[in-house]
Amino acid sequence: MTDRYAVIGNPIAHSKSPQIHAVFARQTFQDMRYEALLAPLDGFAQSVRAFAAAGGRGLNVTVPFKLEAHALADTRSPRAEAAKAVNTLLFSAAGIHGDNTDGVGLVADLTRNLGVQLAGKRLLLLGAGGAARGVLLPLLEQRPAALFLANRTADKARALGDEFAARAGACRIESGGFAALAGRQFDLVINATAAGLSDAAPSLPDGLYAPGSLAYDMVYGRETPFLAAARAKGAARCADGLGMLVEQAAESFFLWRGVRPPTAPVLDQLRGA
Ligand code: ATR
């Protein structure tokens, strides 16, 4: 019988995940089907259980259900615990297992697709909400020299920095508001704020971008205000989050199927579309 998977969210019609996983399945000869599942805002757990009861093997979880998925899972990976959010569910006789592949997806895009090694580098992560939290542990595991957590509301950045301090190893974690960035330089600046959703960019001091630096927006699909500002302020390279989307999908696919799909073809296909 063909194994069933889906991405669950609300809204869901715009999701690129069915297209991505269809390509992965074809490339790796997996007998599986991957759908888009719209769950009512007050009916996430019910929808998940109904999908599992109907023979579903696993789900990707997107906005606004990642926290509920974390709560619903019977067991969770360490990276899902650190993220306090789940984007991948696996069903088995033992119950529902929750994982989070967003952070490893970002790291894979940075290191494999963009050729940026993070060890020894100075990183700036903008934002202190769920998106920032979700990628922190995998970023720290790459052993950057320093990581600055900056947020419009400085206290939220400080709280997040304190929470992850014990896992930083030799990496120096600092945190604060955007004004605290004055006079600093970074090799990599990652935008994990929701500013782009209202067509705004975080208001950052000049001079942040070190020679050869990369500006990365976790949002994808267009030139965001953050990337436009980064280009104007001297970032040597800019990237949107499309590669992260494809790499987190590949990581989920690997968890479900035990096979690592090639990601370049589908990324080319999406960029061409
Ligand atoms: P997500 O899950 O996408 O991270 P969230 O938890 O609501 O969403 O967090 C939104 C993040 O975007 C926060 O860091 C928020 O900053 P505040 O903590 O100060 O609210 C940030 N953000 C939203 N709009 C912003 C803007 N216009 N400029 C800068 N930061 C913004």
Side-chain angles (χ1 to χ4, degrees):
M1 211 172 87
T2 302
D3 290 335
R4 285 179 69 203
Y5 299 86
V7 58
I8 184 167
N10 187 331
I12 201 62
H14 66 282
S15 174
K16 295 186 193 300
S17 293
Q19 183 188 348
I20 294 170
H21 283 277
V23 175
F24 287 168
R26 247 192 333 271
Q27 286 170 324
T28 58
F29 308 103
Q30 299 294 300
D31 184 13
M32 59 180 275
R33 197 150 57 90
Y34 188 106
E35 307 147 49
L37 203 63
L38 178 71
L41 290 174
D42 61 353
F44 172 72
Q46 256 175 314
S47 302
V48 170
R49 293 195 196 285
F51 185 73
R57 301 287 301 271
L59 286 168
N60 278 135
V61 181
T62 187
V63 178
F65 298 128
K66 290 185 187 184
L67 300 181
E68 274 187 80
H70 179 271
L72 183 69
D74 301 308
T75 55
R76 289 178 288 264
S77 67
R79 61 195 184 193
E81 289 294 22
K84 289 193 179 156
V86 156
N87 80 335
T88 307
L89 293 171
L90 295 85
F91 308 130
S92 73
I96 302 177
H97 181 69
D99 204 337
N100 192 312
T101 64
D102 287 330
V104 276
L106 170 64
V107 167
D109 191 34
L110 289 168
T111 57
R112 289 209 284 268
N113 299 332
L114 297 165
V116 176
Q117 299 314 314
L118 302 178
K121 298 287 172 59
R122 297 161 293 176
L123 270 55
L124 170 58
L125 183 60
L126 303 170
R133 169 188 289 283
V135 299
L136 254 177
L137 188 62
L139 285 176
L140 287 171
E141 284 171 351
Q142 296 298 305
R143 299 187 294 119
L147 188 148
F148 201 115
L149 268 172
N151 193 45
R152 182 175 60 181
T153 310
D155 283 349
K156 276 171 68 180
R158 289 194 197 102
L160 196 58
D162 289 349
E163 191 182 324
F164 280 80
R167 309 184 187 220
C171 172
R172 187 172 70 252
I173 295 197
E174 292 177 274
S175 52
F178 296 147
L181 297 170
R184 308 265 189 152
Q185 281 211 320
F186 299 92
D187 306 300
L188 171 62
V189 180
I190 301 169
N191 182 30
T193 74
L197 299 181
S198 48
D199 236 14
S203 43
L204 304 172
D206 287 343
L208 287 184
Y209 291 95
S213 59
L214 171 71
Y216 191 100
D217 202 328
M218 282 168 52
V219 168
Y220 63 84
R222 64 198 165 88
E223 171 85 345
T224 61
F226 164 74
L227 289 179
R231 222 179 283 282
K233 291 191 173 186
R237 299 167 70 197
C238 289
D240 76 355
L242 192 64
M244 175 179 172
L245 176 78
V246 171
E247 296 295 342
Q248 63 79 29
E251 203 66 39
S252 296
F253 190 92
F254 175 70
L255 288 171
W256 293 324
R257 311 298 300 181
V259 183
R260 210 169 270 289
T263 52
V266 74
L267 198 46
D268 288 347
Q269 186 178 318
L270 290 171
R271 290 231 189 270

